[in-house]
């Protein structure tokens, strides 16, 4: 990495008291000292704390505040950084298993290198999901022991070429005898055994205290020095009860004068001075799965003889007689090994020298050089890594894994008037009444489920939705009303163009697919009566919804010349919009993205297939391909267009808020694309969109209860919306029904499309749509 490059570190930072803070600060300082590289820390801050961070800390990320993760991503992306170094430990990030960090990582546009301080052999599902997503989004992964590499490859399926083993860094400290430091620290003439670190029960301090009587039998001058403050989280929960218990334990053994507790969090010079004075350094830890220990590395690097339990880091570092390993929780073995070592001075000195010699490649200068090389490699590998991200995160496509259809919550949300708009949690909210939009969706669902293994809606529910639509129609204006109060009074004389178009869509599909012949006739007649006003509509979505209804209606009413011609006029209008707006980087019908976007693509695909005019299908497929790219996060997750960006002009979509209607629309469009082309990529895209409902999303949170069929109203930046309204439940059930088809249906006879799915948003299409694909024999495409 060259001078002038910038590196952002994400992790804890001093003066926060923990090993991750020390490591992050040490690594940042070592890289800053390497010459010309600018560095900054984005510091994780635990709840309720406010640290006096040094100038190197560019931004403090409050652990439980999702908006801070988003802000950090924006600052990094816009700050000219060339590399990001994440220091990962589950407990320092918010959310289950620290999943909140994924909100930040998912938005990074800068190459990411992640150092995993813990690699679990048996993670719970939440922990596994977090690590797998970090593996997917990271260009390079660092572990500090070969065991970590082995686990990532064997248990997590990581690519071997992505993983680098870089041992924990150490200060470049001279090999010195302990006498001078003992004199300065007040332990002259004593045999000093040292343990350093934040006190907590997993450190095994009790074991060493219990081992001291055996050491004192051969070395009566021995003293066990326990250097370090109690872990802040332990103090918060229990006060100093743990430390007081250790003091009482030593007193009960009659060795209180031989166990010294130095209750302080020390800076690096003070720590090195204390390590320098010890004759033996002890890490009696109780957890085998500890992947790294900074204090073990530091003491090893100062040429100290280490006696340790065989946790993973110690097993590797102390191999080949560079230290001594004793069983977990065995004070007898600990005491006898230390006593024997202190009585064998030649062995003691030879072991010290071996440790010091072996540690020369671990100095912070050497470590910084290896990280800088890795950052360069991460940048170089980034294009291919992007492809790997999407491949890794594509949800499995086994159709048998789809949940069963459950309409329990839909029943709850439906009374004898219709489908309620909103809910408070899962309780229907009567204060907001009903709307024709949601009842039209209910009609669509009834037809969508028809013929699926007896999963169709009860006829009474379908009739209720149909009756609402019937009552919503104003025969004087030929328009549908939309909003109705709970007392069945209409709140408007005329609904929006979009609500009218959506209702026509439902009527057209009902006319073709409803299980009741009588209702099919009713829907067909009402569709024909309500269709003419659309001629004067200006909303592209209203055109698309109507076009979807026309595609179905024309199948059962092939003699309706007005409908046949009007279908072509609406398709032409959408195509003409695309011709006017499209540029190489913006393959869309409008200057911005809003809601139900994929329905426009779906309408054109179906129209092209049903009319035999491939230009329309090509336009729908091409725009859908671009839209799918816009709705795919860097980790390959489905990310619906966020409502916060609905007013943006030609900008990438905002991430939040995310709504179920977008997932349902995308699934439906991908189904039609699959039926039209047989291209497996459309199945994969549909599966990603459906997986969003079940937790493969930016927050890692499921939105649906498969037992009741309820669906939360969407995702905010920091949490799901816990309300489960009418639009959401129907969107989920429509998406589920379409996924069943996507996994089962055969490809229809493919159209002879000129379309190719190779990243069309990077190509030039302007003008080609009308000139090449929408030009048909005279009279086929009536002018608008």
């Amino acid at each position: 990495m060259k001078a002038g490059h910038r590196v952002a570190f994400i992790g804890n930072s001093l003066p926060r008291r923990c090993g991750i803070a020390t490591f992050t600060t040490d690594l940042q300082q070592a890289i800053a000292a390497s010459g010309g590289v600018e560095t900054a820390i984005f510091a994780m801050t635990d709840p309720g704390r406010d640290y006096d961070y040094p100038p190197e800390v560019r931004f403090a990320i409050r652990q439980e505040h999702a908006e801070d993760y988003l802000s950090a991503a924006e600052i990094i992306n816009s700050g000219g950084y060339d590399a990001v170094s994440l220091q990962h430990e589950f407990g320092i990030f918010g959310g289950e298993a620290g999943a909140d960090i994924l909100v930040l990582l998912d938005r990074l546009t800068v190459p990411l290198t992640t150092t995993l301080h813990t690699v679990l052999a048996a993670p719970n599902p939440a922990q596994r999901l977090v690590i797998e997503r970090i593996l997917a989004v990271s260009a390079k992964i660092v572990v500090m022991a070969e065991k970590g590499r082995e686990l990532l490859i064997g248990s997590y399926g990581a690519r071997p070429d992505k993983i680098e083993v870089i041992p924990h860094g150490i200060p470049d400290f001279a090999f010195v005898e302990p006498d001078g430091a003992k004199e300065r620290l007040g332990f002259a003439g004593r045999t000093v055994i040292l343990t350093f670190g934040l006190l907590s029960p997993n450190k095994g301090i009790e074991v060493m205290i219990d081992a001291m009587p055996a050491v004192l039998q051969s070395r009566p001058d021995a003293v066990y020095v326990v250097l370090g403050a109690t872990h802040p989280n332990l103090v918060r929960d229990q006060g100093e009860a743990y430390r007081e218990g250790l003091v009482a334990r030593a007193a009960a053994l009659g060795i209180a004068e031989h166990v010294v507790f130095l209750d302080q969090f020390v800076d690096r010079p003070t720590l090195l001075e204390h390590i320098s004075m010890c004759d033996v350094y002890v890490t009696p830890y109780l957890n085998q799965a500890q992947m790294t220990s900074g204090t073990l590395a530091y003491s090893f690097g100062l040429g100290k003889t280490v006696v340790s339990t065989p946790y993973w880091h110690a097993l590797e570092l102390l191999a080949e007689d560079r230290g001594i390993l004793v069983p977990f929780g065995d004070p007898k073995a600990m005491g006898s090994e230390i006593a024997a070592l202190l009585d064998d001075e030649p062995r003691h000195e030879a072991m010290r020298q071996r440790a010091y010699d072996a540690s020369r490649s671990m100095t912070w200068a050497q470590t910084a050089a290896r990280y800088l090389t890795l950052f360069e490699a991460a940048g170089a590998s980034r294009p291919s890594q992007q492809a790997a991200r999407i491949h890794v995160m594509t949800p499995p496509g086994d159709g048998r894994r789809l949940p069963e259809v459950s309409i329990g919550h839909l029943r709850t949300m439906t009374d004898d008037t219709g489908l309620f708009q909103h809910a408070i949690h899962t309780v229907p909210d009567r204060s907001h009444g009903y709307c024709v939009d949601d009842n039209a969706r209910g009609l669509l669902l009834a037809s969508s489920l028809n013929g699926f293994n007896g999963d169709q809606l009860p006829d009474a529910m379908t009739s209720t939705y149909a009756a609402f639509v019937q009552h919503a129609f104003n025969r004087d204006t030929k328009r549908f009303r939309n909003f109705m109060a709970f007392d069945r009074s209409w709140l408007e004389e005329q609904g929006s163009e979009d609500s009218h178009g959506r209702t026509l869509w439902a009527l057209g599909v009902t006319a073709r697919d409803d299980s009741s012949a009588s209702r099919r006739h009713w829907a067909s007649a009402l569709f024909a009566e309500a269709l003419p006003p659309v001629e004067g509509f200006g909303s592209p979505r209203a055109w698309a919804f109507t076009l979807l209804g026309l595609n179905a209606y024309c199948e059962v009413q092939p003699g309706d010349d007005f409908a046949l011609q009007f279908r072509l006029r609406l398709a032409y209008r959408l195509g003409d919009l695309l011709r006017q707006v499209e540029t190489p980087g913006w393959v869309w019908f409008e200057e911005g993205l809003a809601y139900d976007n994929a329905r426009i693509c779906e309408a054109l695909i179906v129209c092209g297939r049903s009319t035999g005019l491939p230009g329309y299908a090509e336009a729908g497929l091409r725009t859908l391909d671009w839209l799918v790219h816009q709705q795919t996060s860097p980790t390959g997750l489905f990310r619906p267009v966020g409502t916060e960006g609905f007013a943006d002009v030609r900008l990438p979509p905002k991430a939040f808020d995310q709504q179920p209607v977008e997932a349902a629309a995308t699934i439906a469009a991908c189904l039609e694309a699959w039926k039209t082309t047989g291209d497996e990529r459309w199945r994969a895209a549909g599966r990603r969109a459906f997986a969003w409902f079940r937790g493969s999303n930016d927050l890692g949170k499921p939105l649906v209860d498969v037992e009741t069929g309820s669906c939360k109203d969407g995702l905010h930046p920091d949490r799901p919306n816990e309300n489960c309204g009418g639009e959401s439940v129907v969107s989920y059930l429509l998406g589920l029904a379409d996924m069943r088809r996507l996994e089962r249906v055969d490809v229809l006879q493919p159209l002879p499309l000129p379309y190719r799915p190779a990243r069309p948003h990077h190509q030039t299409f302007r003008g080609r749509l009308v000139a090449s694909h929408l030009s048909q024999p005279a009279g086929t495409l009536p002018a608008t």
Side-chain angles (χ1 to χ4, degrees), residues 79-94:
Y81 291 96
D82 301 284
V84 175
S85 175
L86 170 70
Q87 305 305 314
H88 180 268
E89 182 63 80
F90 288 107
I92 70 173
F93 306 110

PDB file of all heavy atoms in Angstrom, residues 79-94:
ATOM      1  N   GLY A  79     -15.155   8.980   2.301  1.00  0.00           N
ATOM      2  CA  GLY A  79     -13.960   9.561   2.904  1.00  0.00           C
ATOM      3  C   GLY A  79     -12.658   9.266   2.198  1.00  0.00           C
ATOM      4  O   GLY A  79     -11.584   9.562   2.739  1.00  0.00           O
ATOM      5  N   GLY A  80     -12.709   8.660   1.039  1.00  0.00           N
ATOM      6  CA  GLY A  80     -11.478   8.401   0.299  1.00  0.00           C
ATOM      7  C   GLY A  80     -10.633   7.281   0.867  1.00  0.00           C
ATOM      8  O   GLY A  80      -9.413   7.236   0.640  1.00  0.00           O
ATOM      9  N   TYR A  81     -11.249   6.366   1.595  1.00  0.00           N
ATOM     10  CA  TYR A  81     -10.490   5.253   2.175  1.00  0.00           C
ATOM     11  C   TYR A  81     -10.218   4.187   1.118  1.00  0.00           C
ATOM     12  O   TYR A  81     -11.044   3.918   0.240  1.00  0.00           O
ATOM     13  CB  TYR A  81     -11.245   4.644   3.356  1.00  0.00           C
ATOM     14  CG  TYR A  81     -11.305   5.577   4.545  1.00  0.00           C
ATOM     15  CD1 TYR A  81     -12.408   6.401   4.758  1.00  0.00           C
ATOM     16  CD2 TYR A  81     -10.239   5.649   5.442  1.00  0.00           C
ATOM     17  CE1 TYR A  81     -12.449   7.278   5.826  1.00  0.00           C
ATOM     18  CE2 TYR A  81     -10.280   6.519   6.522  1.00  0.00           C
ATOM     19  CZ  TYR A  81     -11.386   7.338   6.713  1.00  0.00           C
ATOM     20  OH  TYR A  81     -11.425   8.192   7.772  1.00  0.00           O
ATOM     21  N   ASP A  82      -9.055   3.563   1.228  1.00  0.00           N
ATOM     22  CA  ASP A  82      -8.648   2.529   0.281  1.00  0.00           C
ATOM     23  C   ASP A  82      -8.809   1.126   0.847  1.00  0.00           C
ATOM     24  O   ASP A  82      -8.790   0.148   0.091  1.00  0.00           O
ATOM     25  CB  ASP A  82      -7.189   2.737  -0.111  1.00  0.00           C
ATOM     26  CG  ASP A  82      -6.967   4.107  -0.738  1.00  0.00           C
ATOM     27  OD1 ASP A  82      -7.340   4.281  -1.904  1.00  0.00           O
ATOM     28  OD2 ASP A  82      -6.434   4.994  -0.047  1.00  0.00           O
ATOM     29  N   ALA A  83      -8.948   1.019   2.158  1.00  0.00           N
ATOM     30  CA  ALA A  83      -9.107  -0.297   2.781  1.00  0.00           C
ATOM     31  C   ALA A  83      -9.830  -0.120   4.112  1.00  0.00           C
ATOM     32  O   ALA A  83      -9.729   0.920   4.768  1.00  0.00           O
ATOM     33  CB  ALA A  83      -7.750  -0.968   3.014  1.00  0.00           C
ATOM     34  N   VAL A  84     -10.563  -1.155   4.499  1.00  0.00           N
ATOM     35  CA  VAL A  84     -11.219  -1.209   5.809  1.00  0.00           C
ATOM     36  C   VAL A  84     -10.748  -2.466   6.521  1.00  0.00           C
ATOM     37  O   VAL A  84     -10.716  -3.555   5.934  1.00  0.00           O
ATOM     38  CB  VAL A  84     -12.753  -1.228   5.671  1.00  0.00           C
ATOM     39  CG1 VAL A  84     -13.409  -1.412   7.045  1.00  0.00           C
ATOM     40  CG2 VAL A  84     -13.250   0.056   5.026  1.00  0.00           C
ATOM     41  N   SER A  85     -10.371  -2.301   7.777  1.00  0.00           N
ATOM     42  CA  SER A  85      -9.935  -3.421   8.611  1.00  0.00           C
ATOM     43  C   SER A  85     -10.917  -3.569   9.762  1.00  0.00           C
ATOM     44  O   SER A  85     -10.981  -2.720  10.654  1.00  0.00           O
ATOM     45  CB  SER A  85      -8.522  -3.173   9.148  1.00  0.00           C
ATOM     46  OG  SER A  85      -8.135  -4.196  10.053  1.00  0.00           O
ATOM     47  N   LEU A  86     -11.688  -4.643   9.740  1.00  0.00           N
ATOM     48  CA  LEU A  86     -12.663  -4.916  10.798  1.00  0.00           C
ATOM     49  C   LEU A  86     -12.052  -5.848  11.827  1.00  0.00           C
ATOM     50  O   LEU A  86     -11.531  -6.914  11.488  1.00  0.00           O
ATOM     51  CB  LEU A  86     -13.918  -5.560  10.203  1.00  0.00           C
ATOM     52  CG  LEU A  86     -14.930  -6.115  11.229  1.00  0.00           C
ATOM     53  CD1 LEU A  86     -15.604  -4.961  11.972  1.00  0.00           C
ATOM     54  CD2 LEU A  86     -15.964  -6.994  10.546  1.00  0.00           C
ATOM     55  N   GLN A  87     -12.132  -5.459  13.091  1.00  0.00           N
ATOM     56  CA  GLN A  87     -11.735  -6.333  14.190  1.00  0.00           C
ATOM     57  C   GLN A  87     -13.007  -6.940  14.776  1.00  0.00           C
ATOM     58  O   GLN A  87     -13.798  -6.251  15.409  1.00  0.00           O
ATOM     59  CB  GLN A  87     -10.967  -5.540  15.253  1.00  0.00           C
ATOM     60  CG  GLN A  87      -9.774  -4.785  14.705  1.00  0.00           C
ATOM     61  CD  GLN A  87      -8.810  -5.686  13.964  1.00  0.00           C
ATOM     62  OE1 GLN A  87      -8.459  -6.770  14.444  1.00  0.00           O
ATOM     63  NE2 GLN A  87      -8.376  -5.251  12.796  1.00  0.00           N
ATOM     64  N   HIS A  88     -13.188  -8.232  14.541  1.00  0.00           N
ATOM     65  CA  HIS A  88     -14.469  -8.846  14.886  1.00  0.00           C
ATOM     66  C   HIS A  88     -14.389  -9.686  16.150  1.00  0.00           C
ATOM     67  O   HIS A  88     -13.548 -10.569  16.292  1.00  0.00           O
ATOM     68  CB  HIS A  88     -14.993  -9.737  13.763  1.00  0.00           C
ATOM     69  CG  HIS A  88     -16.306 -10.377  14.122  1.00  0.00           C
ATOM     70  ND1 HIS A  88     -16.387 -11.619  14.727  1.00  0.00           N
ATOM     71  CD2 HIS A  88     -17.579  -9.916  14.030  1.00  0.00           C
ATOM     72  CE1 HIS A  88     -17.651 -11.898  14.965  1.00  0.00           C
ATOM     73  NE2 HIS A  88     -18.391 -10.882  14.557  1.00  0.00           N
ATOM     74  N   GLU A  89     -15.288  -9.382  17.058  1.00  0.00           N
ATOM     75  CA  GLU A  89     -15.587 -10.206  18.231  1.00  0.00           C
ATOM     76  C   GLU A  89     -17.080 -10.079  18.455  1.00  0.00           C
ATOM     77  O   GLU A  89     -17.629  -8.970  18.407  1.00  0.00           O
ATOM     78  CB  GLU A  89     -14.808  -9.714  19.454  1.00  0.00           C
ATOM     79  CG  GLU A  89     -15.006 -10.543  20.709  1.00  0.00           C
ATOM     80  CD  GLU A  89     -14.507 -11.974  20.558  1.00  0.00           C
ATOM     81  OE1 GLU A  89     -13.301 -12.211  20.665  1.00  0.00           O
ATOM     82  OE2 GLU A  89     -15.366 -12.854  20.299  1.00  0.00           O
ATOM     83  N   PHE A  90     -17.785 -11.197  18.685  1.00  0.00           N
ATOM     84  CA  PHE A  90     -19.243 -11.169  18.725  1.00  0.00           C
ATOM     85  C   PHE A  90     -19.796 -10.124  19.692  1.00  0.00           C
ATOM     86  O   PHE A  90     -20.749  -9.419  19.386  1.00  0.00           O
ATOM     87  CB  PHE A  90     -19.777 -12.547  19.130  1.00  0.00           C
ATOM     88  CG  PHE A  90     -19.635 -13.591  18.060  1.00  0.00           C
ATOM     89  CD1 PHE A  90     -18.683 -14.592  18.170  1.00  0.00           C
ATOM     90  CD2 PHE A  90     -20.444 -13.569  16.935  1.00  0.00           C
ATOM     91  CE1 PHE A  90     -18.537 -15.555  17.184  1.00  0.00           C
ATOM     92  CE2 PHE A  90     -20.313 -14.522  15.938  1.00  0.00           C
ATOM     93  CZ  PHE A  90     -19.351 -15.519  16.066  1.00  0.00           C
ATOM     94  N   GLY A  91     -19.191  -9.993  20.864  1.00  0.00           N
ATOM     95  CA  GLY A  91     -19.801  -9.206  21.927  1.00  0.00           C
ATOM     96  C   GLY A  91     -19.698  -7.706  21.789  1.00  0.00           C
ATOM     97  O   GLY A  91     -20.314  -6.980  22.579  1.00  0.00           O
ATOM     98  N   ILE A  92     -18.952  -7.210  20.819  1.00  0.00           N
ATOM     99  CA  ILE A  92     -18.757  -5.757  20.768  1.00  0.00           C
ATOM    100  C   ILE A  92     -19.743  -5.063  19.831  1.00  0.00           C
ATOM    101  O   ILE A  92     -19.746  -3.828  19.757  1.00  0.00           O
ATOM    102  CB  ILE A  92     -17.312  -5.389  20.381  1.00  0.00           C
ATOM    103  CG1 ILE A  92     -17.012  -5.732  18.920  1.00  0.00           C
ATOM    104  CG2 ILE A  92     -16.326  -6.065  21.313  1.00  0.00           C
ATOM    105  CD1 ILE A  92     -15.643  -5.235  18.457  1.00  0.00           C
ATOM    106  N   PHE A  93     -20.571  -5.824  19.126  1.00  0.00           N
ATOM    107  CA  PHE A  93     -21.542  -5.240  18.208  1.00  0.00           C
ATOM    108  C   PHE A  93     -22.960  -5.511  18.698  1.00  0.00           C
ATOM    109  O   PHE A  93     -23.204  -6.486  19.415  1.00  0.00           O
ATOM    110  CB  PHE A  93     -21.360  -5.810  16.806  1.00  0.00           C
ATOM    111  CG  PHE A  93     -19.962  -5.688  16.277  1.00  0.00           C
ATOM    112  CD1 PHE A  93     -19.169  -6.808  16.110  1.00  0.00           C
ATOM    113  CD2 PHE A  93     -19.445  -4.446  15.955  1.00  0.00           C
ATOM    114  CE1 PHE A  93     -17.873  -6.698  15.635  1.00  0.00           C
ATOM    115  CE2 PHE A  93     -18.142  -4.324  15.479  1.00  0.00           C
ATOM    116  CZ  PHE A  93     -17.358  -5.452  15.321  1.00  0.00           C
ATOM    117  N   GLY A  94     -23.891  -4.681  18.292  1.00  0.00           N
ATOM    118  CA  GLY A  94     -25.272  -4.837  18.712  1.00  0.00           C
ATOM    119  C   GLY A  94     -25.978  -5.945  17.956  1.00  0.00           C
ATOM    120  O   GLY A  94     -25.490  -6.477  16.960  1.00  0.00           O
TER     121      GLY A  94
END
